[in-house]
Amino acid sequence: MFKSKNVESFKIDNNNIPKHVAIIMDGNGRWAKARHMPRIAGHKKGMNTVKTITKAASALGMKVLTLYAFSTENWRRPDKEVNYLMGLPSKFFNDFIPDLIANNVKVQVMGYINQLPEQTQQAVKKAIEATANCDGMILNFALNYGAQDEIVTSIQKIARLVKNNEIDIDDISKETVQNNLMTTNLGKLANPDLLIRTSGEKRLSNFLLWQVAYSEFVFRNENWPDFNAEILSDCILEYQNRHRRFGGLK
């Protein structure tokens, strides 16, 4: 596993680490604006934070870390910013893949990847293939992802199964829907135990709407570039002080 000097693991219960943590990485632009820098400077700094948090999450023993990297709505941003964001996967993976392989971290990507520029698709494909044999923590990027579109796509898949007489309408269950979402390859780890959002915003922004039905939410005021291993540990400590009942009683 990665070693991180900043992870104060003595504060938390190492036997109760959330298996799947999802993060809405928000505030890159605000971080840059506060420093009178262009928005892309915030995205560049945020990329380094991804590396830091990946190391910290692996050191803590997480099984899946899902990061909301680019939403289906982010195409509405200025072309210059979108083009920069589309180039980030190449820069990120070229630099970080050796560390990921050395520390047994597998890269997965969910979203409408075929709609991305060719160079971005190739960078994603390269990272997935390079780490395919790793069986440690999964670093799962939501890239060109939107939860409402994901649910629609799931319904379309199920409708085709019914149309082709592969299943009956009465056989459709929560498991049927779950198994046709983009997180199905995560198996029993598909639903996050903990969802974190940075920058002080308190909304889901079309992220994992089905999967977070019983996730614990932690909202932090820090912008993503300022997020670090110690803050991650604080979020986990808060999670560990919650009582998860899943609608029942203990």
Side-chain angles (χ1 to χ4, degrees):
M1 280 193 264
F2 286 108
K3 301 299 181 184
S4 175
K5 295 180 181 179
N6 293 324
V7 176
E8 299 181 52
S9 56
F10 63 88
K11 286 185 177 181
I12 60 182
D13 180 359
N14 291 320
N15 294 315
N16 188 25
I17 300 296
K19 293 181 176 64
H20 183 175
V21 173
I23 304 179
I24 300 174
M25 305 181 292
D26 196 17
N28 288 343
R30 272 164 280 187
W31 180 92
K33 183 178 179 181
R35 290 159 177 78
H36 307 287
M37 300 167 70
R39 288 177 60 85
I40 60 175
H43 294 307
K44 183 177 181 180
K45 176 68 173 176
M47 183 175 66
N48 292 329
T49 302
V50 170
K51 297 175 183 178
T52 297
I53 298 306
T54 298
K55 295 176 182 180
S58 179
L60 285 164
M62 288 180 202
K63 302 300 182 185
V64 180
L65 176 64
T66 295
L67 302 177
Y68 202 8
F70 190 88
S71 77
T72 49
E73 289 74 38
N74 286 156
W75 295 106
R76 302 170 186 168
R77 295 186 177 186
D79 289 344
K80 182 178 180 181
E81 182 175 355
V82 170
N83 291 337
Y84 183 82
L85 290 170
M86 288 298 104
L88 276 182
S90 297
K91 299 181 179 70
F92 176 82
F93 288 127
N94 284 341
D95 179 51
F96 203 40
I97 278 179
D99 281 341
L100 294 171
I101 295 172
N103 291 278
N104 202 28
V105 173
K106 175 182 285 189
V107 173
Q108 292 187 7
V109 180
M110 56 185 284
Y112 297 91
I113 309 305
N114 62 343
Q115 298 174 5
L116 297 172
E118 183 63 28
Q119 66 166 6
T120 311
Q121 291 188 46
Q122 290 303 316
V124 167
K125 182 180 179 182
K126 178 181 176 182
I128 292 172
E129 291 177 349
T131 61
N133 293 326
C134 299
D135 58 5
M137 190 185 80
I138 294 171
L139 177 58
N140 182 42
F141 286 98
L143 188 59
N144 195 27
Y145 169 85
Q148 291 179 333
D149 288 333
E150 175 191 30
I151 292 171
V152 170
T153 299
S154 172
I155 293 170
Q156 291 171 340
K157 290 179 181 178
I158 296 167
R160 290 190 191 98
L161 293 175
V162 173
K163 181 180 179 180
N164 295 333
N165 296 315
E166 296 180 50
I167 63 171
D168 189 80
I169 286 179
D170 292 335
D171 294 330
I172 298 173
S173 64
K174 288 185 289 185
E175 288 72 24
T176 309
V177 176
Q178 179 96 4
N179 292 337
N180 283 279
L181 295 172
M182 293 179 180
T183 47
T184 186
N185 59 344
L186 296 174
K188 294 181 179 180
L189 298 173
N191 300 332
D193 301 296
L194 170 63
L195 181 136
I196 301 167
R197 181 167 187 155
T198 58
S199 85
E201 302 290 356
K202 296 178 174 65
R203 57 177 178 269
L204 290 176
S205 295
N206 201 19
F207 184 48
L208 299 178
L209 298 179
W210 176 280
Q211 294 90 337
V212 299
Y214 278 101
S215 302
E216 296 295 326
F217 293 179
V218 173
F219 299 102
R220 298 288 303 207
N221 289 326
E222 297 88 358
N223 290 317
W224 176 247
D226 290 326
F227 199 82
N228 57 35
E230 184 176 358
I231 297 170
L232 177 64
S233 292
D234 287 343
C235 293
I236 292 173
L237 186 61
E238 183 172 345
Y239 163 85
Q240 292 179 345
N241 283 300
R242 306 272 182 90
H243 298 287
R244 305 186 76 197
R245 295 183 296 276
F246 300 96
L249 296 174
K250 287 188 179 180

